[in-house]
Amino acid sequence: MRFLKQLLVILGVTFAGEALHAFLPLPVPASIYGLALMFVCLCLKIFPLRAVEETGNFLVDWMPALFIPATVGVMAAWDVLQPVLVQVALIMCLSLAAVMAVSGRVTQWALRRRGKHKKEDNRHA
Amino acid sequence: MHELLTGSVYFGVLLSLGTFGVGTWLKKKFHSPLCNPLLISVVLTILVLLALDIDYDTYYQGAHYINYFLTPSTVCLAIPLYRQLSLLKKNWRAILAGIASGVLTSLVCVLALSALLGLDHRMYVTLLPKSITSAIGMGVAEELGGLPTITVAVIILTGILGAMIADGLYRLLGITEPIAKGVGLGTSAHAMGTAKALEMGEIEGAMSSLSIAVAGVFTVVGASVFAMFY
């Protein structure tokens, strides 16, 4: 019963996300509205974490498996992809490494800069 | 036999989850970044479908039931994020700076490389949303006149590749802060990156889920501007 109740809450929030997607004219998908709604509900204590936690953890753990059918779709898109395969693969690999490196380094730099300021503040005080 | 396989609603699901199970088992056994369960599952599934002469549409009729859980799962990414609320409050400036710089890098890279390699406009806008979650990326590609099927394929392959290279790249660049690791993975490799980040730790996973949502929204705005450049 516990899992059923948790699933109900999660599906409720998901449905509310779909409703927002239907009524707001922004190019934001239902899943992201749902993510934001779930976060807001937890922050405002509309329901406690334990009302969704176990089922939610299960769904998050299994997430990679949910992409299998869409990825197998490469099979169906092969004819369009094949002529530009080398270029697309090159762009994919290079920009992936660049994005991961830049966002990771910038975040670390900003975190440490802040950390240093704090230490200096402490010294002044 | 062939009729049974193409007529069954469960065959596609069984094949997908079964091959994923094989991938998970191989990963536990070998601990190699090459043993990515999703990649193994996709390759095995395609091989089986080709061997049994079953086309994608037939497979998808059964397998698409798996997609049903994708939206609720994305919604549940809010749970690890909520558990790290205090960390988020304290470091939101650094996190936002990291995500914004990553999104800009992605758009600039795709623009520069598309021009360099002589891709046409349609292919360029198809690739623009390649670092964000497929739910948003597909919509962006469609909106800009790209090819959503290719966008989804590239997005997911980017995710798998991102999960595979993360450990090595972070070691190479000396990225050790859990928050920075999470932001890097979420911004560059969306949900698959987040699955990898959750393996690294709870903080990494939470920051990565946050990055998916924020990078997605930034890219919606950024891509529509960048679409006009080439």
Side-chain angles (χ1 to χ4, degrees):
Chain A
M1 270 316 276
R2 200 175 59 210
F3 285 99
L4 187 65
K5 273 189 202 153
Q6 295 188 352
L7 193 61
L8 269 177
V9 176
I10 293 168
L11 290 180
V13 174
T14 308
F15 177 69
E18 279 186 324
L20 279 181
H21 174 71
F23 292 124
L24 297 177
L26 303 169
V28 176
S31 57
I32 299 298
Y33 280 128
L35 197 164
L37 269 178
M38 178 67 91
F39 187 64
V40 169
C41 284
L42 289 170
C43 287
L44 297 179
K45 312 250 186 279
I46 292 172
F47 47 75
L49 188 56
R50 65 184 150 74
V52 291
E53 198 164 21
E54 286 138 318
T55 309
N57 285 344
F58 168 75
L59 285 173
V60 170
D61 283 345
W62 269 88
M63 208 165 159
L66 304 179
F67 288 97
I68 298 168
T71 317
V72 175
V74 175
M75 218 174 126
W78 186 247
D79 291 336
V80 198
L81 198 57
Q82 205 206 355
V84 282
L85 194 63
V86 178
Q87 289 98 315
V88 170
L90 209 62
I91 292 178
M92 197 173 87
C93 296
L94 289 176
S95 62
L96 165 71
V99 175
M100 196 183 280
V102 168
S103 51
R105 284 299 300 197
V106 167
T107 311
Q108 180 155 302
W109 171 79
L111 284 171
R112 292 193 172 159
R113 204 179 67 123
R114 209 178 123 78
K116 226 189 256 165
H117 274 297
K118 257 202 193 140
K119 266 183 216 150
E120 275 165 17
D121 287 348
N122 289 343
R123 231 180 289 143
H124 288 305
Chain B
M1 187 62 188
H2 192 258
E3 263 162 47
L4 172 67
L5 291 181
T6 51
S8 167
V9 189
Y10 299 103
F11 176 67
V13 178
L14 190 67
L15 179 64
S16 310
L17 296 185
T19 49
F20 190 79
V22 173
T24 315
W25 179 76
L26 282 173
K27 190 184 154 200
K28 271 206 190 109
K29 202 159 176 351
F30 294 110
H31 298 288
S32 156
L34 281 176
C35 288
N36 178 294
L38 179 61
L39 184 65
I40 292 170
S41 166
V42 169
V43 171
L44 289 179
T45 302
I46 292 180
L47 287 178
V48 170
L49 292 180
L50 290 176
L52 295 175
D53 193 27
I54 297 171
D55 62 25
Y56 178 69
D57 291 334
T58 312
Y59 156 80
Y60 194 71
Q61 265 171 24
H64 84 273
Y65 289 105
I66 295 177
N67 291 359
Y68 176 84
F69 288 100
L70 206 50
T71 310
S73 292
T74 312
V75 171
C76 288
L77 286 174
I79 294 171
L81 184 60
Y82 173 70
R83 282 196 292 244
Q84 301 299 332
L85 188 60
S86 59
L87 209 60
L88 175 65
K89 273 186 186 157
K90 216 166 66 192
N91 298 303
W92 66 273
R93 279 192 194 87
I95 294 165
L96 267 191
I99 299 172
S101 64
V103 168
L104 193 65
T105 307
S106 174
L107 296 171
V108 170
C109 267
V110 175
L111 172 65
L113 290 168
S114 296
L116 200 70
L117 297 170
L119 290 184
D120 58 7
H121 176 78
R122 199 172 61 150
M123 210 59 206
Y124 164 61
V125 293
T126 297
L127 293 178
L128 265 183
K130 60 156 228 44
S131 269
I132 58 172
T133 179
S134 55
I136 307 184
M138 236 170 98
V140 170
E142 218 162 54
E143 196 83 18
L144 301 175
L147 304 161
T149 348
I150 306 279
T151 305
V152 172
V154 173
I155 283 176
I156 294 173
L157 292 175
T158 298
I160 295 174
L161 206 64
M164 283 164 61
I165 66 164
D167 283 320
L169 189 79
Y170 285 164
R171 213 174 306 127
L172 192 74
L173 295 173
I175 296 173
T176 51
E177 299 273 354
I179 298 178
K181 285 176 160 182
V183 169
L185 269 165
T187 309
S188 63
H190 51 90
M192 253 74 71
T194 301
K196 173 72 195 172
L198 279 163
E199 265 172 39
M200 292 175 165
E202 171 92 8
I203 297 175
E204 286 90 334
M207 294 308 139
S208 191
S209 354
L210 173 71
S211 306
I212 296 181
V214 178
V217 173
F218 281 179
T219 304
V220 168
V221 181
S224 54
V225 176
F226 267 73
M228 292 184 282
F229 293 166
Y230 175 70

